[in-house]
Amino acid sequence: EPLRFLIRGPGGGTVGAIQLLRKRLVPGFSTLYAPRGPALESLELLPAVAEAVRRVARPTDALLKIEPPQPIPADDRAAVPAAYGPFRRAETEQPEHTIIADLTRSEDDLFAGLHSMARRNVRAAQKLGVVAGRDDDFGAFWEIFTATNERARLGAFPRAYYETMLREGNAYGGEAYLVLSRYEGRALAGGFFLAMGGTTAYLFGGSVRDDRVREDGTPYKDAKAPDAFYWNAMLDAKRRGYTLFDFWGIPRVLDESKHSYGVFKMKLKFSDTRVWYPAYDLSLNPAAPAIVRALRWRKTRNNLKKRGSADDVL
């Protein structure tokens, strides 16, 4: 159940906005969650926001989780506050660690900032005639996304979830779109993007191997389609006026044996700006600590069931 509020200061002027998702857990208890929110003029307002939320919360709302959309440099862990008034540091729902790219730089500066391997692969893809850009072929995206999830044992929602998100994400000033990278017609890499304000975020995607064989029996070359995908997705966002590109998620703990490490290394080729988006919890009910433990237990059990590991994906 989504709840949306403007946040007004003492003088009546708007100082922020928050979307709360009320999730019913069991009869008698629910949680409130602000995904990548609230949006505020200053995080110094958070203690006052806590009191405002208490006034609109139901007696059954046991917990509020927030994820303020203000990135903190990853190399400065000391800058991550342990608390904001009654809010206490907590686990995030969205990826806490991510890589971002500043799209306000010129195209030449962006390209020069890529890792040398990324520059080489992008040029190779261009020479081979790889085409990457916005694409309406949801079926091709779904094939890539499903194959990637199965290969990495990541799991996913039903197809209708993403189709609905693609349709509804274009309402109220937002933009949802697909970018695919094709080599001789076949889509080999791609992603699902959701944009709002000056930021576009790469939420879902992946790549597949080109297993085609030419008429003379020779296999297709490695066209570096994933590199073309990332680079052209950045260019597309820049040309459409977005100023920040969020690669949306890198591992909390780097482990070379895991699929997520390969994803991290790929994203790092296109930007080395690593940041944190920490989360904070506000207890609204004495049952909140027990609910937090129960939710962590449920997530761990789901990880074991779906992926054979108790660790979170990121």
Side-chain angles (χ1 to χ4, degrees):
E1 178 188 0
L3 309 167
R4 301 181 180 100
F5 300 92
L6 290 179
I7 302 171
R8 302 191 187 280
T14 300
V15 295
I18 188 169
Q19 173 177 258
L20 300 176
L21 303 182
R22 177 174 284 125
K23 301 181 182 180
R24 186 182 181 189
L25 302 178
V26 294
F29 288 110
S30 55
T31 62
L32 297 174
Y33 169 46
R36 282 285 177 96
L40 288 171
E41 289 184 353
S42 169
L43 294 184
E44 294 179 0
L45 296 170
L46 279 175
V49 170
E51 296 308 309
V53 170
R54 290 185 191 277
R55 291 195 293 270
V56 300
R58 293 175 180 172
T60 53
D61 293 330
L63 179 76
L64 165 64
K65 182 180 293 292
I66 63 171
E67 296 164 343
Q70 296 193 19
I72 297 173
D75 58 0
D76 190 6
R77 293 191 175 215
V80 181
Y84 285 102
F87 285 101
R88 294 292 181 269
R89 186 85 160 82
E91 287 190 10
T92 58
E93 290 287 330
Q94 307 304 320
E96 182 178 40
H97 302 250
T98 188
I99 292 175
I100 58 176
D102 177 8
L103 300 181
T104 62
R105 294 175 292 164
S106 70
E107 185 173 322
D108 288 342
D109 285 345
L110 280 174
F111 192 75
L114 304 186
H115 188 278
S116 59
M117 184 180 296
R119 295 197 301 270
R120 183 167 60 249
N121 289 348
V122 167
R123 291 190 182 107
Q126 290 172 340
K127 289 180 180 178
L128 287 170
V130 174
V131 178
R134 295 206 180 191
D135 203 301
D136 295 329
D137 190 348
F138 186 87
F141 160 77
W142 186 250
E143 179 182 343
I144 293 169
F145 183 51
T146 301
T148 302
N149 286 339
E150 290 176 351
R151 185 171 69 241
R153 302 175 68 185
L154 298 179
F157 293 111
R159 175 170 173 160
Y161 173 93
Y162 303 93
E163 291 175 322
T164 301
M165 194 172 180
L166 185 60
R167 181 180 65 251
E168 300 298 332
N170 288 289
Y172 306 108
E175 186 177 27
Y177 60 95
L178 304 176
V179 173
L180 296 180
S181 182
R182 297 179 179 272
Y183 179 42
E184 295 191 11
R186 184 180 176 187
L188 298 174
F192 184 119
F193 292 81
L194 187 63
M196 180 68 71
T199 298
T200 189
Y202 167 41
L203 299 185
F204 316 108
S207 63
V208 294
R209 292 187 179 276
D210 195 346
D211 54 6
R212 293 175 295 176
V213 178
R214 299 189 183 278
E215 292 183 359
D216 61 2
T218 60
Y220 275 62
K221 291 183 178 180
D222 178 3
K224 308 301 180 185
D227 296 83
F229 157 70
Y230 277 102
W231 173 239
N232 284 280
M234 293 170 67
L235 290 185
D236 171 84
K238 176 177 175 57
R239 291 165 183 167
R240 293 173 187 267
Y242 295 110
T243 57
L244 187 70
F245 191 101
D246 189 343
F247 289 85
W248 205 257
I250 56 175
R252 294 186 180 92
V253 179
L254 298 180
D255 184 340
E256 294 187 25
S257 67
K258 294 183 178 180
H259 169 81
S260 59
Y261 185 80
V263 174
F264 160 69
K265 294 294 288 184
M266 184 66 178
K267 294 178 178 179
L268 195 63
K269 290 195 302 181
F270 289 85
S271 177
D272 60 2
T273 305
R274 300 166 59 182
V275 297
W276 296 56
Y277 284 96
Y280 296 87
D281 283 355
L282 173 69
S283 295
L284 300 172
N285 183 297
I291 288 175
V292 170
R293 291 193 295 271
L295 291 174
R296 178 65 262 178
W297 175 83
R298 185 175 69 177
K299 184 180 289 188
T300 298
R301 190 181 69 168
N302 286 339
N303 285 340
L304 287 170
K305 181 179 178 180
K306 295 178 180 177
R307 302 172 47 247
S309 170
D311 296 335
D312 291 338
V313 174
L314 294 175

